[in-house]
Amino acid sequence: MRRISLVLALLLLASCSSRQSLFVVLPNPDGSSGAVTIEDGQKSVVLDQPYAAGEVRGGAAAPVKIDQAQVQQIFGNALAAQPILPSHFVLYFERDSDTLTPESQRQYQGVFEDIKRRNVYEVEVIGHTDTMGTQAHNQRLSMSRAEMIRDRLVHDGISPKSISVAGRGSLDLAVRTADQVAEPRNRRVEITVR
């Protein structure tokens, strides 16, 4: 999923300047940015770089120079009030079990830390399997994997009321395979934290 850059707009209705609005494109976490176009009816200004800014002053759109420190000074309170963006994690399991692989055992801590840094959170845990076994077996196994992660999170202090679990069996394969193929990347739990 591609993220759209955050654009800040500040309306100055009763100020000593004649600026009516200020628009700033903020960078995505990876440093990229989206774009926004400001139009005043006669000309347009395209803002398509991190910290690109434009204003409408006296009814006319124009680009302006602004740096990260100025953005923080002007929009600091709004930036501080932003919710934390959702996070997505994938943990993998040993074949035909609800035991995490050694690497996923280590990665679990990152899931837990992401949840704990949020004041309010919602956690969605969805279990998956490879195509080995029957549909009924895979459905039970995928649910067992999701429930194991939920139980571990609850044991570590996460509210059970904030966790939803589901099992998808082999219905949503990460890697398409034929039936009865032991594909390790399909033996997973996907966790979304909001």
Side-chain angles (χ1 to χ4, degrees):
M1 181 167 83
R2 198 164 167 230
R3 272 192 211 149
I4 297 175
S5 291
L6 177 61
V7 178
L8 295 177
L10 176 65
L11 299 175
L12 302 171
L13 299 176
S15 70
C16 56
S17 76
S18 61
R19 177 184 290 160
Q20 295 166 323
S21 12
L22 172 65
F23 302 87
V24 180
V25 176
L26 296 181
N28 290 317
D30 68 0
S32 66
S33 70
V36 65
T37 302
I38 305 170
E39 295 184 14
D40 63 15
Q42 295 183 1
K43 84 175 190 188
S44 62
V45 176
V46 177
L47 309 175
D48 60 359
Q49 299 293 318
Y51 298 105
E55 68 180 357
V56 176
R57 185 183 297 258
V64 294
K65 294 262 187 214
I66 195 164
D67 62 27
Q68 189 173 355
Q70 291 169 307
V71 168
Q72 187 61 41
Q73 180 183 4
I74 296 167
F75 300 108
N77 290 339
L79 292 169
Q82 290 183 105
I84 300 170
L85 294 174
S87 298
H88 186 76
F89 301 90
V90 179
L91 301 179
Y92 296 96
F93 289 82
E94 300 292 342
R95 185 174 176 177
D96 201 32
S97 79
D98 64 1
T99 301
L100 288 169
T101 63
E103 183 178 344
S104 287
Q105 287 277 3
R106 291 185 294 276
Q107 291 173 337
Y108 166 82
Q109 190 60 35
V111 176
F112 178 73
E113 289 170 4
D114 184 87
I115 297 168
K116 290 306 282 184
R117 72 187 176 113
R118 299 167 188 269
N119 293 328
V120 177
Y121 53 83
E122 177 182 290
V123 182
E124 179 182 73
V125 182
I126 301 175
H128 301 272
T129 67
D130 58 24
T131 60
M132 295 296 293
T134 66
Q135 275 191 319
H137 172 75
N138 287 337
Q139 180 58 39
R140 286 189 302 275
L141 180 56
S142 67
M143 194 63 181
S144 176
R145 289 172 174 169
E147 289 170 342
M148 187 282 290
I149 295 297
R150 179 204 54 213
D151 294 348
R152 186 166 174 184
L153 289 168
V154 169
H155 177 267
D156 290 340
I158 303 301
S159 169
K161 294 177 183 176
S162 299
I163 305 171
S164 65
V165 297
R168 298 289 295 150
S170 60
L171 295 176
D172 295 323
L173 299 174
V175 177
R176 291 276 168 220
T177 67
D179 288 345
Q180 305 307 313
V181 174
E183 171 54 59
R185 292 170 292 177
N186 287 331
R187 298 190 300 258
R188 70 198 190 281
V189 161
E190 296 184 359
I191 304 167
T192 303
V193 182
R194 299 180 204 45

